[in-house]
């Protein structure tokens, strides 16, 4: 197996810069060329073993489904050309496997050099906050560790699915009793009930919770139980425990030997108008179960992995902080919670095709005195050298539409200081007035362990909350 490592937004790295062993460049180039320059939406739909967050690709303002996982420039034909091949990453973090090659993409805030890869504390911390995980002890992560996050994500996906109720479908049953509820199976009745003993053989369809979907979830639970961290994942609180017990009770026909059959039965994504939360859960379960066959070192031709959009993850992480300051976080990636740009709905429909609404990342409306409002935009990109024209126009538009005089951008930046502080710059607008802030959130680089990193991040979060309470 060929292991490569790089970071997000790497500006282009050669195979040697990513730690490729001598003589393996040709194989790595062949494997990565299968997925290079292809849109993320296309790869995700055609590869069940590739999990991408956010789950709803193409339903967000960043058009992540249209972006490539990474780009690769160069032909790779001949040793001289192989040395010139460059792999350029974007905002995606995680890992992806293709053929005999596995590419690990850490956050760009992970200080490492070839041969001395450090823990990706920033990615781990954001995942812990966003998914309410307990990753304080990272010793359980094996290898690169990223795929192990699938196990930790399972409880939150299960709980969300169960809020829609236990998944039920109509199943066909062959019964032989006195409670006739369907068409009589004459041939089977003659075979089983002659001489007549009061029973009738019949075929019926009943709506049941013991079906291919719930069986898939049950098999996933049983696999997680076998892991050293299984109890931590499945039984860390009463709510998760009840969710697991619900699935166990709903699947009395569970048979560990039927795992392959259940996996094949779930090859087609579930498409139900009501049970919408079960589709991402189904994909997650399949990834966990199939990973049993995708052990590192295999020569599988499949494309697999787990990827996180850094821009989405950064925004969701900030939501865990800013919502405590009474800032609302619209579900902009699902086009929910938008604010009208026009006072009259007729104007909205006639002025712009399909209407027009704005979706600030975070906002707080003015109080009764017309003050205290705030609009903030989460940016994963570099803003140390200034804000782009498009981003500035967007935030000013939001401020004008909502009659809010304070807006700004929050972005992460690396620092090596032992006690870093937020970097806040304020700029006054002309015309109708108002203020635009750029708030740099420092990401510690030289912490000795995850505990120290966590302490510094919490300090920065407290400082950010004090700024955003204006």
């Amino acid at each position: 197996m060929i292991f490569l490592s790089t970071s997000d937004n790497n500006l282009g790295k050669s195979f040697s810069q990513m730690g490729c062993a001598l003589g393996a460049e040709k194989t790595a180039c062949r494997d990565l060329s299968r997925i290079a320059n292809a849109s993320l939406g296309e790869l995700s739909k055609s590869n069940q073993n590739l999990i991408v967050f956010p789950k709803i690709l193409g339903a967000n303002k960043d058009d992540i489904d249209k972006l490539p996982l990474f780009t690769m420039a160069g032909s790779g034909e001949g040793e001289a050309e192989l040395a010139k091949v460059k792999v350029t990453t974007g905002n995606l973090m995680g890992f992806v496997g293709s053929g005999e090659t596995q590419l690990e993409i850490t956050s760009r805030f992970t200080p490492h050099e070839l041969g001395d890869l450090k823990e990706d504390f920033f990615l781990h911390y954001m995942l812990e906050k966003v998914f309410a995980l307990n990753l304080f002890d990272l010793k359980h992560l094996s290898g690169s560790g990223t795929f192990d996050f699938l196990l930790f994500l399972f409880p939150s996906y299960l709980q969300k699915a169960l809020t829609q109720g236990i998944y039920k479908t109509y199943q066909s049953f062959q019964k032989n009793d006195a409670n006739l509820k369907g068409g009589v199976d004459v041939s089977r009745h003659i075979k089983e009930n002659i001489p007549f003993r009061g029973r009738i053989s019949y075929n019926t369809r009943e709506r049941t919770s013991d079906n291919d979907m719930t069986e898939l979830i049950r098999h996933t639970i049983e696999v997680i139980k076998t892991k050293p961290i299984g109890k931590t994942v499945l039984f860390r609180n009463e709510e998760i425990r009840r969710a697991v017990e619900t699935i166990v009770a709903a699947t009395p026909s569970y048979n560990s030997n039927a795992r392959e059959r259940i996996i094949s039965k779930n090859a087609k994504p579930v498409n139900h108008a009501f049970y919408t939360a079960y589709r991402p859960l189904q994909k997650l379960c399949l990834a966990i179960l199939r990973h049993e066959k995708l052990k590192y070192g295999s020569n599988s031709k499949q494309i697999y992995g787990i990827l996180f959009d850094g821009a989405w993850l950064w925004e969701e992480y900030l939501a865990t902080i800013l919502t405590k300051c009474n800032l609302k976080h619209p579900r902009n990636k699902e086009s929910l919670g938008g604010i009208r740009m026009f006072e009259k709905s007729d104007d909205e429909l006639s002025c712009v095709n399909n209407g027009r609404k704005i979706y600030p990342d975070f906002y707080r409306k003015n109080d009764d005195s017309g003050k205290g409002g705030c609009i903030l935009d989460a940016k994963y990109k570099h803003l140390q050298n200034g804000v782009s024209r498009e981003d500035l126009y967007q935030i000013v538009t939001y401020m004008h539409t909502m009659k809010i005089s304070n807006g700004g951008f929050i972005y992460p930046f690396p620092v090596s200081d032992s006690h870093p502080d937020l970097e806040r710059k304020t700029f006054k607008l002309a015309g109708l007035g108002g203020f635009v802030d750029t708030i740099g959130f420092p990401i510690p680089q030289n912490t000795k362990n995850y505990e120290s990193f966590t302490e510094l991040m919490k300090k920065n979060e407290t400082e950010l909350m004090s700024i955003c309470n204006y």
Side-chain angles (χ1 to χ4, degrees):
M1 198 70 173
I2 301 170
F3 296 95
L4 308 180
S5 177
T6 187
S7 63
D8 68 65
N9 296 279
N10 67 5
L11 302 179
K13 297 287 185 181
S14 65
F15 287 117
S16 61
Q17 290 175 316
M18 294 188 294
C20 188
L22 291 175
E25 296 92 340
K26 186 175 182 179
T27 300
C29 184
R30 178 202 66 197
D31 290 340
L32 294 188
S33 64
R34 297 171 58 204
I35 54 179
N37 308 315
S39 73
L40 196 55
E42 177 185 338
L43 288 173
S44 179
K45 289 178 182 178
S46 58
N47 296 280
Q48 283 279 352
N49 292 327
L50 184 62
I51 304 291
V52 184
F53 296 85
K55 302 180 293 297
I56 308 176
L57 289 175
N60 60 60
K61 61 183 179 180
D62 296 320
D63 290 330
I64 182 179
D65 64 315
K66 300 176 183 178
L67 299 177
L69 196 163
F70 57 83
T71 60
M72 193 164 73
S75 64
E77 298 178 0
E79 292 185 9
E81 293 300 318
L82 273 172
K84 298 178 182 179
V85 173
K86 297 289 184 180
V87 174
T88 303
T89 58
N91 283 340
L92 292 169
M93 297 175 281
F95 93 91
V96 61
S98 174
E100 300 176 52
T101 305
Q102 179 178 299
L103 175 64
E104 180 82 6
I105 307 175
T106 67
S107 75
R108 64 180 183 273
F109 300 98
T110 303
H112 71 275
E113 297 178 356
L114 293 180
D116 186 29
L117 178 64
K118 296 184 179 180
E119 293 285 3
D120 194 348
F121 289 159
F122 185 50
L123 173 59
H124 293 175
Y125 186 76
M126 288 195 294
L127 290 172
E128 178 180 348
K129 297 284 284 189
V130 171
F131 291 100
L133 306 177
N134 182 13
L135 304 178
F136 194 83
D137 183 2
L138 300 177
K139 295 178 182 179
H140 55 260
L141 298 179
S142 61
S144 62
T146 310
F147 207 96
D148 291 336
F149 283 121
L150 290 177
L151 304 183
F152 288 95
L153 297 176
F154 174 78
S156 64
Y157 273 52
L158 175 60
Q159 288 174 279
K160 185 174 182 179
L162 287 178
T163 59
Q164 297 179 337
I166 191 72
Y167 190 90
K168 292 184 178 181
T169 59
Y170 281 98
Q171 300 276 91
S172 296
F173 296 94
Q174 290 185 336
K175 294 191 175 184
N176 187 41
D177 54 40
N179 303 314
L180 179 61
K181 294 180 180 179
V184 176
D185 189 333
V186 177
S187 61
R188 189 159 58 87
H189 178 70
I190 294 174
K191 181 179 179 180
E192 298 182 7
N193 298 316
I194 300 299
F196 184 65
R197 298 177 181 177
R199 293 179 297 184
I200 301 175
S201 296
Y202 61 96
N203 301 323
T204 184
R205 281 178 60 81
E206 296 179 2
R207 197 163 179 262
T208 176
S209 59
D210 195 358
N211 49 62
D212 295 335
M213 171 59 75
T214 53
E215 285 288 338
L216 179 73
I217 301 171
R218 174 68 182 277
H219 279 277
T220 306
I221 290 173
E222 297 303 325
V223 165
I224 295 176
K225 284 182 179 179
T226 65
K227 305 298 180 182
I229 54 173
K231 292 183 179 179
T232 302
V233 172
L234 296 176
F235 305 109
R236 65 173 180 264
N237 61 47
E238 188 60 31
E239 187 176 359
I240 297 172
R241 188 192 304 273
R242 285 198 300 268
V244 171
E245 290 174 351
T246 298
I247 295 298
V248 172
T251 52
S253 62
Y254 166 76
N255 181 356
S256 60
N257 296 324
R259 185 162 299 161
E260 288 300 320
R261 181 180 62 82
I262 293 298
I263 290 175
S264 63
K265 288 283 188 178
N266 282 273
K268 184 178 180 180
V270 62
N271 188 17
H272 197 287
F274 179 75
Y275 295 115
T276 54
Y278 277 87
R279 182 164 185 172
L281 175 60
Q282 179 192 40
K283 191 168 185 179
L284 182 66
C285 289
L286 289 172
I288 292 173
L289 295 178
R290 286 170 173 164
H291 185 235
E292 295 297 293
K293 291 187 175 182
L294 295 173
K295 301 297 184 183
Y296 302 148
S298 69
N299 292 322
S300 171
K301 294 182 179 180
Q302 296 187 58
I303 296 170
Y304 58 96
I306 176 172
L307 298 164
F308 302 91
D309 175 25
W312 168 80
L313 193 57
W314 171 244
E315 180 180 328
E316 294 304 309
Y317 161 64
L318 288 178
T320 66
I321 306 168
L322 299 179
T323 51
K324 298 176 183 177
C325 302
N326 296 320
L327 272 83
K328 294 185 178 180
H329 179 44
R331 295 165 63 186
N332 48 28
K333 290 176 174 57
E334 300 172 46
S335 298
L336 298 175
I339 299 169
R340 288 181 175 175
M341 289 188 67
F342 295 88
E343 185 174 341
K344 297 180 180 179
S345 58
D346 291 343
D347 293 342
E348 180 179 278
L349 294 173
S350 61
C351 181
V352 185
N353 292 334
N354 300 321
R356 173 62 65 186
K357 291 186 178 181
I358 60 175
Y359 296 90
D361 290 341
F362 304 96
Y363 73 90
R364 181 177 59 233
K365 291 184 177 180
N366 290 322
D367 55 25
D368 294 338
S369 66
K371 298 181 180 180
C374 176
I375 296 177
L376 293 172
D377 207 9
K379 293 298 179 186
Y380 188 65
K381 64 180 71 172
H382 303 276
L383 292 186
Q384 287 95 323
N385 298 323
V387 180
S388 70
R389 180 178 62 178
E390 292 76 13
D391 291 336
L392 178 61
Y393 287 176
Q394 177 177 270
I395 200 74
V396 172
T397 300
Y398 291 171
M399 293 166 63
H400 175 77
T401 300
M402 301 180 68
K403 296 182 180 180
I404 291 176
S405 59
N406 293 300
F409 305 90
I410 306 178
Y411 65 95
F413 72 100
V415 290
S416 56
D417 298 338
S418 57
H419 298 287
D421 295 318
L422 270 69
E423 290 187 359
R424 181 185 181 187
K425 297 179 182 178
T426 302
F427 307 92
K428 186 175 182 179
L429 294 170
L432 296 176
F435 300 90
V436 174
D437 290 338
T438 59
I439 304 172
F441 191 100
I443 309 301
Q445 298 294 285
N446 296 327
T447 55
K448 295 180 180 179
N449 50 48
Y450 190 61
E451 182 178 12
S452 300
F453 180 88
T454 299
E455 290 177 357
L456 289 175
M457 290 293 287
K458 288 182 177 178
K459 169 185 172 294
N460 296 338
E461 292 168 5
T462 300
E463 187 177 352
L464 178 62
M465 289 176 65
S466 66
I467 290 176
C468 295
N469 275 320
Y470 62 93

